[in-house]
Each structure stands twice: as C-alpha cells, then as structure tokens.
C-alpha cells in the first residue's frame, strides 16, 4: 500500500454519511524496530477534511499566522481524526469508519503528541 | 525519538532526501510505502522515488504522461519505483537523511539515463574532464 492511495480517499460512516476526504496521514514513531533509526513510523490514523480535499499545509493545527489558519479551516470545514483501528478500507479505496460522523473527534481534540512508550 | 509524530503529506512527501554521510542530494520522496506486520500494525517500510512513484500520484493526463514516458524509456516492461528502505533513514528534519555509505541505494534517475543515452553519444564526451 502507498500513502498516495490513501490521500484523497473518501470517508463514510456506517450509515453511509460522508465524513470527508483524507487530506493527510498521521504517523507515530512507535512501530517495529528498524535499526539504526529506531522504531518505525506507525500509521496512526487519517486526517479527514469535511469539504475541500486540499493540502492543509499544517494550518489545521493551532499555528500562526491566524489569518491563514482561519482561511484553511473555512475552506476545509471540520477536520476530524480517524484512527487506523477505527477505519476499514473498502475495495474501491474508500474508508468506512466504525463510529458515526458525530462521534468522530475533531483534530483539535486529539492530543498532538503522545507520551513515549516504555 | 520514540513517540514522535509526523504528518506524511506535510513532512515526508516531496521532501529532499540527502545522504547522511556526504550531505549529497539524492532524490525527492515521491511516495511512501506502507507495510503491515503479522500482528496487523501498519508502518512505513520504504520511501519511493522516481517517475514510477510520482506518475501514479499525479492526477489525470499529467500522471499518465509521466508514467507512460518513463515506461517507454525504461528497459523494464513495468518499471518499479526506486525504493529506499525505511531502515536506512537516520533523521527526518527539513530534509530526510539516509544512510548511503555503502553506495547501494537504487537511485537510477533520469540523469543516469541522459548520461547513457545522450551525453555519452556526443563526440568528445568521454574527455569531459580534460
């Protein structure tokens, strides 16, 4: 599987309601060990924008300048995070979430960093 | 650096890959390969580069042109992208640093093709260092 196959993929909830499209893929460095770099980058989940399948250029996060952030959010709509474990990849390349759209967390509500695994 | 978080599109795709040893620019990250472990954990297994990785990523006619021209010029019937194992990554900063000390990275780019098929056929090209 390639990252490019995931970017732009439509995402639906179990009721068939559209959640948006995948605009980025979040990776966390706590996967299987790959020397010399250390732990591999594990695919943690998908960042899904409600409206425009555009590159968010990092402005979906709380970064400045605020005017760019405002514009990106206005164009993209609600940006949600869908965990890899909570999504199922269908044969047509789209994703189906286990939770309903209203239950999916907004990206802002998901911690930006995780504590290192012991 | 365990636990570090990255966004693939923002921090990996289209980034410059440089040699961690000589700082030489090697290629760009045109795509990222994801593999799945036996227990079902998906992880980044390789960085992909070259027209065979970039072409399918590009939308519409542009992507088809890149893919078909590359296939036409390549000696293989169905050329695979250049693949850098993720185990070779030594650092991810503004650029991606990889370990290429043994010189075995498969990065046969367009430059090599031009060198073999165009430059080497120009009379006197064999004495370029003189």
């Amino acid at each position: 599987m390639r990252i490019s196959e995931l970017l732009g993929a439509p995402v639906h909830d179990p009721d068939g309601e559209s959640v948006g499209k995948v605009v980025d893929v979040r990776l966390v460095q706590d996967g299987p060990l790959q020397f010399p770099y250390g732990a591999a980058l594990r695919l943690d989940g998908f960042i899904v924008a409600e409206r425009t399948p555009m590159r968010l250029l990092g402005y979906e996060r709380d970064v400045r300048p605020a005017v760019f952030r405002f514009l990106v959010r206005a164009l993209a709509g609600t940006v949600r995070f869908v965990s890899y474990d909570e999504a199922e990849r269908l044969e047509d390349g789209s994703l189906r979430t286990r939770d309903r759209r209203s239950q999916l967390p907004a990206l802002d509500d998901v911690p930006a960093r995780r504590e290192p695994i012991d | 650096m365990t636990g570090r978080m990255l966004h693939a599109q923002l921090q990996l795709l289209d980034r410059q890959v440089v040699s961690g040893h000589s700082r030489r620019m090697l290629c760009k990250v045109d795509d990222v390969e994801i593999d799945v472990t036996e227990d079902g954990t998906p992880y980044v297994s390789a960085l992909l580069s070259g027209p065979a990785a970039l072409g399918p990523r590009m939308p519409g006619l542009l992507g088809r042109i890149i893919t078909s021209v590359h296939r036409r010029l390549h000696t293989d019937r169905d050329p695979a992208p250049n693949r850098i194992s993720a185990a070779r990554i030594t650092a991810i900063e503004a650029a991606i640093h990889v370990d290429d000390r043994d010189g075995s990275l498969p990065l046969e780019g367009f430059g090599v093709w031009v060198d073999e098929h165009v430059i080497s056929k120009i009379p006197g090209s064999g004495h370029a260092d003189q």
Side-chain angles (χ1 to χ4, degrees):
Chain A
M1 178 169 58
R2 294 186 188 180
I3 287 278
S4 61
E5 295 169 18
L6 300 171
L7 295 171
V11 183
H12 295 90
D13 73 358
D15 298 331
E17 208 170 338
S18 174
V19 179
K21 288 188 175 176
V22 176
V23 291
D24 213 333
V25 174
R26 197 161 88 171
L27 307 167
V28 179
Q29 196 187 1
D30 61 1
L33 282 177
Q34 284 182 322
F35 294 104
Y37 186 45
L41 293 163
R42 178 180 57 83
L43 198 163
D44 187 40
F46 309 98
I47 295 169
V48 181
E50 189 178 23
R51 284 202 288 272
T52 314
M54 55 185 276
R55 290 183 84 146
L56 301 178
L57 304 173
Y59 285 104
E60 75 280 5
R61 299 169 298 168
D62 193 17
V63 292
R64 294 180 181 200
V67 65
F68 285 174
R69 196 170 70 233
F70 172 79
L71 281 172
V72 166
R73 288 185 180 191
L75 288 169
T78 306
V79 180
R80 294 184 172 87
F81 179 74
V82 178
S83 162
Y84 177 83
D85 299 328
E86 296 292 325
E88 180 189 1
R89 192 155 180 249
L90 305 180
E91 281 185 13
D92 63 359
S94 66
L95 299 175
R96 184 167 60 200
T97 62
R98 295 220 175 102
D99 291 335
R100 288 200 172 90
R101 190 170 78 159
S102 57
Q103 296 170 311
L104 294 169
L107 186 64
D108 289 340
D109 299 333
V110 179
R113 281 187 181 274
R114 290 189 174 175
E115 292 301 315
I117 294 173
D118 294 328
Chain B
M1 291 204 291
T2 303
R4 183 185 178 193
M5 190 173 286
L6 293 171
H7 289 183
Q9 168 113 292
L10 186 67
Q11 292 164 290
L12 283 183
L13 284 183
D14 301 321
R15 292 285 174 131
Q16 181 72 52
V17 178
V18 298
S19 163
H21 180 60
S22 64
R23 306 289 176 204
R24 194 167 58 95
M25 290 191 282
L26 299 172
C27 62
K28 289 278 182 77
V29 180
D30 291 320
D31 211 338
V32 175
E33 184 184 85
I34 301 287
D35 219 338
V36 181
T37 61
E38 287 180 6
D39 65 353
T41 304
Y43 68 99
V44 172
S45 56
L47 306 176
L48 306 176
S49 75
L54 183 65
R57 229 185 95 199
M58 292 287 119
L61 184 63
L62 178 63
R64 290 201 296 276
I65 289 173
I66 292 172
T67 305
S68 61
V69 168
H70 179 241
R71 190 173 292 160
R72 182 87 176 175
L73 297 179
H74 207 279
T75 49
D76 292 345
R77 199 171 183 82
D78 193 15
N82 301 323
R83 187 177 182 279
I84 302 172
S85 169
R88 283 177 174 268
I89 301 173
T90 55
I92 299 175
E93 298 165 356
I96 317 290
H97 297 252
V98 297
D99 181 1
D100 74 330
R101 272 175 292 184
D102 58 2
S104 64
L105 282 179
L107 297 172
E108 294 174 40
F110 185 63
V112 175
W113 185 91
V114 171
D115 192 31
E116 286 177 0
H117 294 83
V118 181
I119 304 292
S120 66
K121 292 183 174 22
I122 298 173
S125 63
H127 306 286
D129 54 334
Q130 292 180 2

